[in-house]
Amino acid sequence: MGSSIAGIELVKLLIADDHWLIRDSLKQVIRRLDKNHQLLEASDFEEALAILSTHDDIDLVLADLIMPGFDAFDGLQELRTRFPNVPVAVVSVFEDRAHVLRAVEQGVIGYIPKSSSPAEIERAFERILDGEVYFPRRLLEAAPLANAATTPNASYPDVGLLTNREREVIDLLGKGLSVQKIASELDVAAHTVRVHLSSLMRKLGLPDRAATIHFAINHAVAVDARSTR
């Protein structure tokens, strides 16, 4: 199994949550998308680790931030450290920008609030299973964090290398818009947006779509922080 889920058909998913009702709800949504997906369940972190250790072909983990043995971001960091090639999406009761951004820092490919409607959860899974990354736009557009960095991280690539249109694409990407939504916003074809994405990824040295969206979100935070000074 590769480190990216883009371009492959997901067939085995692990749902890790201590509430059976949440696990059952997620299973129903996923099965509406594809009844052939194999779904595994874990009610605590120890069980999740045991399943991951014995199934080296799991394509995606859906993990709650709070469950027995899994202490929010410490647990997420351990999960990403021990199984770095397994994509992880968070399904959480926490609905604030700080939690989303900390999850992004851990390299998750999605963040789905538990209060989301079934239709919203289904759209999130569709994007993730299509090889995109999903973060709730309404949380990313919330007020900037009080302690957000006021300058871009020193390790960030130079966005000055980008054209104005590429800047528009990366900014909209950081606000949670999909390729189709960006195309609609800019009044261009989706293919054109993908061309701009490929170009800016090459210029910034970003290896894949997930890394690009993580960069876009963090870059948007830096811009927001500077604009409030």
Coordinates of all heavy atoms in Angstrom, one line a residue, residues 120-178:
E120 N -23.3 16.1 4.4 CA -22.0 16.7 4.5 C -21.0 15.6 4.7 O -19.9 15.7 4.1 CB -22.0 17.7 5.7 CG -22.8 18.9 5.4 CD -22.9 19.8 6.7 OE1 -22.9 19.3 7.8 OE2 -22.9 21.0 6.5
I121 N -21.2 14.6 5.5 CA -20.3 13.5 5.8 C -20.1 12.8 4.5 O -18.9 12.4 4.2 CB -20.8 12.6 6.9 CG1 -20.8 13.4 8.2 CG2 -19.9 11.4 7.0 CD1 -21.4 12.6 9.4
E122 N -21.1 12.5 3.8 CA -21.0 11.8 2.5 C -20.2 12.6 1.5 O -19.3 12.0 0.8 CB -22.4 11.6 1.9 CG -22.4 10.6 0.7 CD -23.8 10.2 0.3 OE1 -24.6 9.9 1.3 OE2 -24.1 10.1 -0.9
R123 N -20.3 13.9 1.4 CA -19.5 14.7 0.5 C -18.1 14.7 0.9 O -17.2 14.6 0.1 CB -20.0 16.2 0.5 CG -21.3 16.4 -0.3 CD -21.5 17.9 -0.6 NE -21.7 18.6 0.6 CZ -22.9 18.8 1.2 NH1 -24.0 18.3 0.7 NH2 -23.0 19.6 2.3
A124 N -17.8 14.7 2.3 CA -16.4 14.6 2.7 C -15.8 13.3 2.3 O -14.6 13.3 1.9 CB -16.4 14.8 4.3
F125 N -16.5 12.2 2.5 CA -15.9 10.9 2.2 C -15.7 10.8 0.7 O -14.7 10.2 0.2 CB -16.9 9.8 2.6 CG -16.8 9.5 4.1 CD1 -17.9 9.1 4.8 CD2 -15.6 9.6 4.8 CE1 -17.8 8.8 6.2 CE2 -15.5 9.3 6.1 CZ -16.6 9.0 6.8
E126 N -16.6 11.4 -0.1 CA -16.5 11.3 -1.6 C -15.2 12.0 -2.0 O -14.4 11.5 -2.8 CB -17.7 12.0 -2.3 CG -18.9 11.2 -2.3 CD -20.1 11.9 -2.9 OE1 -20.1 13.1 -2.9 OE2 -21.0 11.2 -3.5
R127 N -14.9 13.1 -1.4 CA -13.7 13.8 -1.7 C -12.4 13.1 -1.3 O -11.4 13.0 -2.0 CB -13.7 15.2 -1.1 CG -14.6 16.2 -1.8 CD -14.6 17.6 -1.2 NE -13.2 18.2 -1.3 CZ -13.0 19.4 -0.9 NH1 -13.9 20.1 -0.3 NH2 -11.7 19.9 -1.0
I128 N -12.5 12.5 -0.1 CA -11.3 11.8 0.4 C -11.1 10.5 -0.4 O -10.0 10.2 -0.8 CB -11.6 11.4 1.9 CG1 -11.5 12.6 2.8 CG2 -10.5 10.4 2.4 CD1 -11.9 12.4 4.2
L129 N -12.2 9.8 -0.7 CA -12.0 8.6 -1.5 C -11.6 8.9 -3.0 O -11.1 8.0 -3.7 CB -13.3 7.8 -1.5 CG -13.8 7.3 -0.1 CD1 -15.1 6.5 -0.2 CD2 -12.7 6.5 0.6
D130 N -11.9 10.1 -3.4 CA -11.4 10.5 -4.8 C -10.0 11.0 -4.8 O -9.5 11.4 -5.8 CB -12.4 11.6 -5.3 CG -13.7 11.1 -5.8 OD1 -13.8 9.9 -6.0 OD2 -14.6 11.9 -5.9
G131 N -9.3 10.9 -3.6 CA -7.9 11.3 -3.6 C -7.7 12.8 -3.2 O -6.6 13.3 -3.3
E132 N -8.8 13.5 -2.9 CA -8.6 14.9 -2.4 C -8.5 14.9 -0.9 O -8.6 13.9 -0.2 CB -9.8 15.7 -2.9 CG -9.8 16.0 -4.4 CD -10.6 17.1 -4.8 OE1 -10.6 18.2 -4.1 OE2 -11.4 17.0 -5.8
V133 N -8.4 16.1 -0.3 CA -8.3 16.3 1.1 C -9.5 17.1 1.5 O -9.9 18.0 0.8 CB -7.0 16.9 1.5 CG1 -6.9 17.1 3.0 CG2 -5.8 16.1 1.0
Y134 N -10.1 16.8 2.7 CA -11.3 17.5 3.1 C -11.1 18.1 4.4 O -10.8 17.5 5.4 CB -12.5 16.6 3.2 CG -13.7 17.3 3.7 CD1 -14.5 18.0 2.8 CD2 -14.1 17.2 5.1 CE1 -15.7 18.7 3.3 CE2 -15.2 17.9 5.6 CZ -15.9 18.7 4.7 OH -17.0 19.3 5.2
F135 N -11.3 19.5 4.5 CA -11.4 20.2 5.7 C -12.6 21.1 5.7 O -12.8 21.7 4.6 CB -10.1 21.0 6.0 CG -8.9 20.1 6.1 CD1 -8.0 19.9 5.0 CD2 -8.6 19.5 7.3 CE1 -7.0 19.0 5.1 CE2 -7.5 18.6 7.4 CZ -6.7 18.4 6.3
P136 N -13.4 21.2 6.7 CA -14.6 22.0 6.7 C -14.3 23.5 6.5 O -13.7 24.2 7.3 CB -15.2 21.8 8.1 CG -14.1 21.4 8.9 CD -13.2 20.6 8.1
R137 N -14.8 24.0 5.4 CA -14.6 25.4 5.0 C -15.1 26.4 6.1 O -14.4 27.4 6.4 CB -15.3 25.7 3.7 CG -15.1 27.1 3.2 CD -15.8 27.3 1.9 NE -15.7 28.7 1.4 CZ -16.3 29.1 0.3 NH1 -17.1 28.3 -0.4 NH2 -16.1 30.4 -0.1
R138 N -16.2 26.1 6.7 CA -16.8 27.0 7.7 C -15.8 27.2 8.9 O -15.8 28.2 9.6 CB -18.1 26.5 8.2 CG -18.1 25.2 8.8 CD -19.6 24.7 9.1 NE -19.7 23.3 9.6 CZ -19.5 23.0 10.8 NH1 -19.2 23.9 11.8 NH2 -19.6 21.7 11.2
L139 N -15.0 26.1 9.2 CA -14.1 26.2 10.3 C -12.8 26.9 9.9 O -12.2 27.7 10.7 CB -13.8 24.8 10.9 CG -14.9 24.1 11.5 CD1 -14.5 22.8 12.1 CD2 -15.7 24.9 12.5
L140 N -12.4 26.7 8.7 CA -11.2 27.3 8.2 C -11.4 28.8 8.0 O -10.4 29.6 8.1 CB -10.7 26.7 6.9 CG -10.3 25.3 6.9 CD1 -9.9 24.8 5.6 CD2 -9.1 25.1 7.9
E141 N -12.6 29.3 7.8 CA -12.9 30.7 7.6 C -13.3 31.4 8.9 O -13.7 32.5 8.9 CB -14.0 30.8 6.6 CG -13.6 30.4 5.1 CD -14.7 30.7 4.1 OE1 -15.9 30.7 4.6 OE2 -14.4 30.9 3.0
A142 N -13.2 30.7 10.0 CA -13.5 31.3 11.3 C -12.4 32.3 11.6 O -11.4 32.5 10.9 CB -13.5 30.2 12.4
A143 N -12.7 33.1 12.7 CA -11.7 34.1 13.0 C -10.3 33.6 13.2 O -10.1 32.5 13.8 CB -12.2 34.8 14.3
P144 N -9.3 34.3 12.8 CA -7.9 33.9 13.0 C -7.6 33.6 14.4 O -8.1 34.2 15.3 CB -7.1 35.0 12.4 CG -8.0 35.8 11.5 CD -9.4 35.6 12.1
L145 N -6.7 32.6 14.6 CA -6.2 32.3 16.0 C -5.5 33.5 16.6 O -4.7 34.1 15.9 CB -5.3 31.1 15.9 CG -6.0 29.8 15.5 CD1 -4.9 28.7 15.3 CD2 -7.0 29.3 16.4
A146 N -5.7 33.7 17.9 CA -5.0 34.8 18.5 C -3.5 34.6 18.6 O -2.7 35.5 18.6 CB -5.5 34.9 20.0
N147 N -3.0 33.3 18.6 CA -1.6 33.0 18.7 C -1.1 32.5 17.4 O 0.0 31.9 17.3 CB -1.3 32.0 19.8 CG -2.0 30.7 19.5 OD1 -2.9 30.6 18.6 ND2 -1.6 29.6 20.3
A148 N -1.7 32.8 16.3 CA -1.2 32.4 15.0 C 0.0 33.1 14.7 O 0.2 34.3 15.0 CB -2.3 32.7 13.9
A149 N 0.9 32.4 13.9 CA 2.2 33.0 13.5 C 1.9 34.3 12.7 O 1.0 34.3 11.8 CB 3.0 32.0 12.8
T150 N 2.7 35.3 12.9 CA 2.5 36.6 12.2 C 3.4 36.6 10.9 O 3.3 37.5 10.1 CB 2.8 37.8 13.0 OG1 4.1 37.7 13.6 CG2 1.8 37.9 14.2
T151 N 4.2 35.6 10.8 CA 5.0 35.5 9.6 C 5.0 34.1 9.1 O 4.9 33.2 9.9 CB 6.5 36.0 9.8 OG1 7.0 35.2 10.8 CG2 6.5 37.4 10.2
P152 N 5.2 33.9 7.8 CA 5.2 32.5 7.3 C 6.3 31.7 8.0 O 7.4 32.2 8.3 CB 5.4 32.6 5.8 CG 4.9 34.0 5.5 CD 5.3 34.8 6.7
N153 N 6.1 30.4 8.1 CA 7.2 29.5 8.6 C 8.4 29.6 7.7 O 8.3 29.7 6.5 CB 6.6 28.1 8.6 CG 7.6 27.1 9.3 OD1 8.7 26.9 8.8 ND2 7.1 26.6 10.4
A154 N 9.6 29.7 8.3 CA 10.8 29.8 7.6 C 11.0 28.7 6.6 O 11.7 28.9 5.6 CB 12.0 29.9 8.5
S155 N 10.4 27.6 6.8 CA 10.6 26.4 5.9 C 9.6 26.4 4.8 O 9.7 25.6 3.9 CB 10.4 25.1 6.7 OG 9.1 25.0 7.2
Y156 N 8.7 27.4 4.8 CA 7.7 27.5 3.7 C 8.4 27.9 2.4 O 9.3 28.7 2.4 CB 6.6 28.5 4.0 CG 5.5 28.0 4.9 CD1 5.6 26.8 5.5 CD2 4.4 28.8 5.1 CE1 4.6 26.3 6.3 CE2 3.4 28.4 6.0 CZ 3.5 27.1 6.5 OH 2.5 26.7 7.3
P157 N 7.9 27.3 1.3 CA 8.4 27.8 0.0 C 8.0 29.2 -0.3 O 7.1 29.8 0.4 CB 7.7 26.8 -1.0 CG 7.3 25.7 -0.2 CD 7.0 26.2 1.1
D158 N 8.6 29.9 -1.2 CA 8.4 31.3 -1.5 C 7.2 31.4 -2.4 O 7.3 31.1 -3.6 CB 9.6 31.9 -2.2 CG 9.5 33.4 -2.4 OD1 8.5 34.0 -2.0 OD2 10.4 34.0 -3.1
V159 N 6.1 31.9 -1.9 CA 4.9 32.1 -2.7 C 5.1 33.2 -3.8 O 4.3 33.3 -4.7 CB 3.6 32.4 -1.9 CG1 3.3 31.2 -1.0 CG2 3.8 33.6 -1.0
G160 N 6.2 34.0 -3.6 CA 6.5 35.0 -4.6 C 6.8 34.4 -6.0 O 6.8 35.1 -7.0
L161 N 7.0 33.1 -6.0 CA 7.3 32.4 -7.3 C 6.0 32.2 -8.1 O 6.1 31.9 -9.3 CB 7.9 31.0 -7.0 CG 9.3 31.0 -6.3 CD1 9.6 29.6 -5.9 CD2 10.4 31.6 -7.2
L162 N 4.9 32.4 -7.5 CA 3.6 32.1 -8.1 C 3.1 33.2 -8.9 O 3.3 34.4 -8.6 CB 2.6 31.6 -7.1 CG 3.0 30.5 -6.2 CD1 1.8 30.2 -5.2 CD2 3.4 29.3 -6.9
T163 N 2.3 32.9 -10.0 CA 1.6 33.9 -10.7 C 0.4 34.3 -9.9 O 0.0 33.7 -8.9 CB 1.1 33.3 -12.1 OG1 0.1 32.3 -11.8 CG2 2.2 32.8 -12.9
N164 N -0.3 35.4 -10.3 CA -1.5 35.9 -9.6 C -2.6 34.8 -9.6 O -3.2 34.6 -8.5 CB -2.0 37.2 -10.2 CG -1.1 38.4 -9.9 OD1 -0.3 38.4 -9.0 ND2 -1.2 39.4 -10.8
R165 N -2.8 34.2 -10.7 CA -3.8 33.1 -10.7 C -3.5 32.0 -9.8 O -4.3 31.4 -9.2 CB -4.1 32.7 -12.2 CG -5.2 31.7 -12.4 CD -6.4 32.0 -11.6 NE -7.1 33.2 -11.9 CZ -8.0 33.4 -12.8 NH1 -8.5 32.4 -13.6 NH2 -8.6 34.6 -13.0
E166 N -2.2 31.6 -9.8 CA -1.8 30.5 -8.9 C -2.0 30.8 -7.5 O -2.3 30.0 -6.6 CB -0.3 30.1 -9.2 CG -0.1 29.4 -10.6 CD 1.3 29.3 -11.0 OE1 2.2 30.0 -10.4 OE2 1.6 28.6 -12.0
R167 N -1.7 32.1 -7.1 CA -2.0 32.6 -5.8 C -3.5 32.5 -5.4 O -3.8 32.1 -4.3 CB -1.5 34.0 -5.6 CG 0.0 34.2 -5.5 CD 0.3 35.7 -5.5 NE 1.7 36.0 -5.3 CZ 2.2 36.3 -4.1 NH1 1.4 36.4 -3.0 NH2 3.5 36.5 -3.9
E168 N -4.3 32.8 -6.4 CA -5.7 32.7 -6.2 C -6.2 31.3 -5.9 O -7.0 31.0 -5.0 CB -6.5 33.3 -7.4 CG -6.4 34.8 -7.6 CD -7.1 35.3 -8.8 OE1 -7.1 34.5 -9.8 OE2 -7.6 36.4 -8.8
V169 N -5.6 30.4 -6.7 CA -5.9 29.0 -6.5 C -5.4 28.5 -5.2 O -6.2 27.8 -4.4 CB -5.3 28.1 -7.6 CG1 -5.4 26.6 -7.3 CG2 -5.9 28.4 -9.0
I170 N -4.2 28.8 -4.7 CA -3.7 28.3 -3.5 C -4.5 28.9 -2.3 O -4.7 28.2 -1.3 CB -2.2 28.6 -3.3 CG1 -1.6 27.7 -2.2 CG2 -1.9 30.0 -3.0 CD1 -1.4 26.3 -2.7
D171 N -4.9 30.2 -2.4 CA -5.7 30.8 -1.4 C -7.0 30.2 -1.2 O -7.5 29.9 -0.1 CB -5.8 32.3 -1.7 CG -4.6 33.1 -1.4 OD1 -3.6 32.6 -0.8 OD2 -4.4 34.2 -2.0
L172 N -7.7 29.9 -2.3 CA -9.0 29.2 -2.3 C -8.9 27.8 -1.8 O -9.8 27.3 -1.0 CB -9.7 29.3 -3.6 CG -10.1 30.7 -4.1 CD1 -10.6 30.6 -5.6 CD2 -11.2 31.3 -3.2
L173 N -7.8 27.1 -2.1 CA -7.6 25.8 -1.6 C -7.4 25.8 -0.1 O -8.0 24.9 0.6 CB -6.3 25.2 -2.3 CG -6.1 23.7 -2.3 CD1 -7.2 23.0 -3.1 CD2 -4.7 23.4 -2.8
G174 N -6.8 26.8 0.4 CA -6.6 26.9 1.8 C -7.8 27.3 2.6 O -7.9 27.1 3.8
K175 N -8.8 27.8 1.9 CA -10.1 28.1 2.5 C -11.1 26.9 2.4 O -12.3 27.0 2.8 CB -10.7 29.3 1.9 CG -9.9 30.6 2.1 CD -10.5 31.8 1.4 CE -9.7 33.0 1.7 NZ -10.1 34.2 0.9
G176 N -10.6 25.8 2.0 CA -11.4 24.6 2.0 C -12.2 24.3 0.7 O -13.0 23.4 0.7
L177 N -11.9 25.0 -0.4 CA -12.7 24.8 -1.6 C -12.1 23.6 -2.4 O -10.9 23.4 -2.4 CB -12.7 26.0 -2.5 CG -13.7 27.1 -2.2 CD1 -13.5 27.8 -0.9 CD2 -13.8 28.1 -3.3
S178 N -13.0 22.8 -3.0 CA -12.6 21.8 -3.9 C -12.2 22.3 -5.2 O -12.4 23.5 -5.5 CB -13.8 20.8 -4.0 OG -14.8 21.4 -4.8

